[in-house]
């Protein structure tokens, strides 16, 4: 019998790409699920989902843009139902800490009838080197409306390690792992560590939400994106997540990678050289 494929949604993104690399190295049959993959997977177009799910036994579900975005709950419900009907027996959900809407999506996956694992994560380190914070870092000034609150940034490599374990080993079924890094840092602290590791001068400026939103609107970013950013930098960063968890230790029996280690690795890879 041929082994069923593992579908990695967001398989070209920060966590998904790493999961695909690890599964491929282990010779686990894997399919990338994203708009640029073949067959393509598009959250807004459910007519494409059956092709992506054909022959699939396990799915890493990374929703885009965020489980707190409008329409996410309906999409997760419809997708998990179809996945289970198509023969998927194991679902691993990437979720976010401190988001009630994400927690509703977790409940949907838990009730799907498949073996489930939830990875409820804090903000990723890699936002600073592979995402929206890279450009301002390269420009030498990061202006954000982030309050002076500590966030336990978590490494995408740690999330990928936990996801691969959950996708390949039954013992993680029925587990919710809350994944954080080992240290609380404010955005100002994180930028200072990156400046140190990269040897660059990078200024951190705290701006008001009104000024930040005005800049985003001026750049003609879609209203839904602006609303999401506003939500993430106010509600999710209001201090509710300013504590560490032992989720990675429970999942993998080891400590999470520290932000300083991430900053050293990213600097060495040339991420902040422009
Ligand atoms: N970033 C964080 O700090 C953080 C923290 C906690 C939880 N999360 C959660 O992680 C998830 C991923 O977010 P991320 O920012 O880290 O992004 P990401 O995974 O780095 O990138 C997005 C991925 O989704 C794919 N994608 C984009 N639009 C799509 C669409 N309409 N349909 C299907 N696939 C699409 C992209 O590939 P293509 O361009 O090829 O389509 C890419 O593989 C979100 O649910 C977010 O809430 C993120």
């Amino acid at each position: 019998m041929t082994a069923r494929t593992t579908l990695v949604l967001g398989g070209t993104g920060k966590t998904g790409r790493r999961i695909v690399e690890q599964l491929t190295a282990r010779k686990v049959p894997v399919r990338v699920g994203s708009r640029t993959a073949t067959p393509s997977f598009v959250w807004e177009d459910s007519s494409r989902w059956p092709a992506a799910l054909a022959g699939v036994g396990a799915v890493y579900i990374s929703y885009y843009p965020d489980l707190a975005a409008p329409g996410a709950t309906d999409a997760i419900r419809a997708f998990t139902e179809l996945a289970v009907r198509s023969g998927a027996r194991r679902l691993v959900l990437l979720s976010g800490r401190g988001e009630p809407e994400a927690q509703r999506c977790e409940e949907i996956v838990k009730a799907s009838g498949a073996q489930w694992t939830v990875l409820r994560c804090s903000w990723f380190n890699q936002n600073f080197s592979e995402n929206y914070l890279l450009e301002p870092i390269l420009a030498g000034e990061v202006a954000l409306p982030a309050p002076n609150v500590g966030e336990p940034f978590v490494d995408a490599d740690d999330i990928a390690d936990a996801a691969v374990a959950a996708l390949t080993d039954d013992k993680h079924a029925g587990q919710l792992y809350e994944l954080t890094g080992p240290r609380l840092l404010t955005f100002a602290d994180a930028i200072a560590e990156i400046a140190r590791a990269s040897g660059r001068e990078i200024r951190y400026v705290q701006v008001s939400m009104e000024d930040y939103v005005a800049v985003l609107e001026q750049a003609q970013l879609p209203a839904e994106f602006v609303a999401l950013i506003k939500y993430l930098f106010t509600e999710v960063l209001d201090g509710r997540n300013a504590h560490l968890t032992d989720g990675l230790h429970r999942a993998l029996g080891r400590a999470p990678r520290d932000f300083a280690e991430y900053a050293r690795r990213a600097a060495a890879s040339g991420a902040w050289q422009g």
Side-chain angles (χ1 to χ4, degrees):
M1 205 177 82
T2 332
R4 290 182 77 89
T5 297
T6 296
L7 174 65
V8 180
L9 299 184
T12 55
K14 289 187 284 301
T15 60
R17 178 171 58 78
R18 292 170 162 85
I19 295 166
V20 168
E21 277 168 16
Q22 285 199 36
L23 292 174
T24 306
R26 291 182 185 209
K27 308 222 180 318
V28 174
V30 63
R31 178 178 303 151
V32 171
S34 91
R35 294 167 305 175
T36 49
T38 309
S40 68
F41 179 89
V42 182
W43 277 109
E44 296 81 358
D45 182 1
S46 57
S47 72
R48 296 174 196 238
W49 299 354
L53 281 166
V56 163
V59 190
Y60 175 70
I61 307 174
S62 169
Y63 184 73
Y64 196 82
D66 195 290
L67 292 177
T73 318
D74 290 343
I76 292 292
R77 183 174 292 109
F79 177 79
T80 52
E81 278 173 15
L82 183 65
V84 172
R85 272 206 311 279
S86 309
R89 293 285 165 265
R90 186 173 286 173
L91 303 178
V92 177
L93 177 70
L94 172 64
S95 179
R97 285 175 95 212
E99 297 182 350
E101 301 84 351
Q103 269 89 82
R104 273 200 286 283
C105 294
E106 293 174 6
E107 293 309 317
I108 292 168
V109 170
K110 284 156 87 169
S112 65
Q115 286 188 346
W116 60 267
T117 308
V118 171
L119 306 178
R120 189 190 285 169
C121 299
S122 50
W123 293 43
F124 305 165
N125 294 345
Q126 280 72 10
N127 293 334
F128 295 95
S129 48
E130 300 175 21
N131 209 226
Y132 57 98
L133 294 172
L134 176 58
E135 206 179 308
I137 287 175
L138 292 178
E141 180 176 296
V142 180
L144 286 175
N148 204 22
V149 159
E151 170 68 14
F153 296 101
V154 67
D155 202 283
D157 281 313
D158 281 340
I159 302 169
D161 289 351
V164 167
L167 287 165
T168 55
D169 188 338
D170 284 344
K171 76 177 185 198
H172 301 286
Q175 297 294 326
L176 186 158
Y177 297 123
E178 199 163 337
L179 303 181
T180 72
R183 202 155 50 104
L184 290 172
L185 290 102
T186 62
F187 275 82
D189 296 333
I191 294 300
E193 296 231 7
I194 290 169
R196 238 188 331 272
S198 62
R200 293 173 54 108
E201 221 170 280
I202 311 164
R203 246 163 50 86
Y204 179 77
V205 187
Q206 195 165 356
V207 294
S208 73
M209 181 56 79
E210 292 69 33
D211 289 352
Y212 193 67
V213 165
V215 170
L216 298 182
E217 284 173 350
Q218 216 167 22
Q220 299 192 329
L221 289 167
E224 313 84 76
F225 178 81
V226 176
L228 184 61
I229 290 285
K230 213 167 155 181
Y231 170 79
L232 292 174
F233 278 97
T234 46
E235 291 196 39
V236 178
L237 269 187
D238 66 356
R240 70 183 70 181
N241 293 330
H243 59 273
L244 310 177
T245 63
D246 65 351
L248 196 85
H249 203 273
R250 280 181 46 234
L252 301 176
R254 65 164 174 83
R257 292 169 168 91
D258 189 76
F259 192 88
E261 183 195 331
Y262 152 73
R264 268 196 308 276
R265 270 188 293 132
S269 77
W272 296 311
Q273 264 152 38

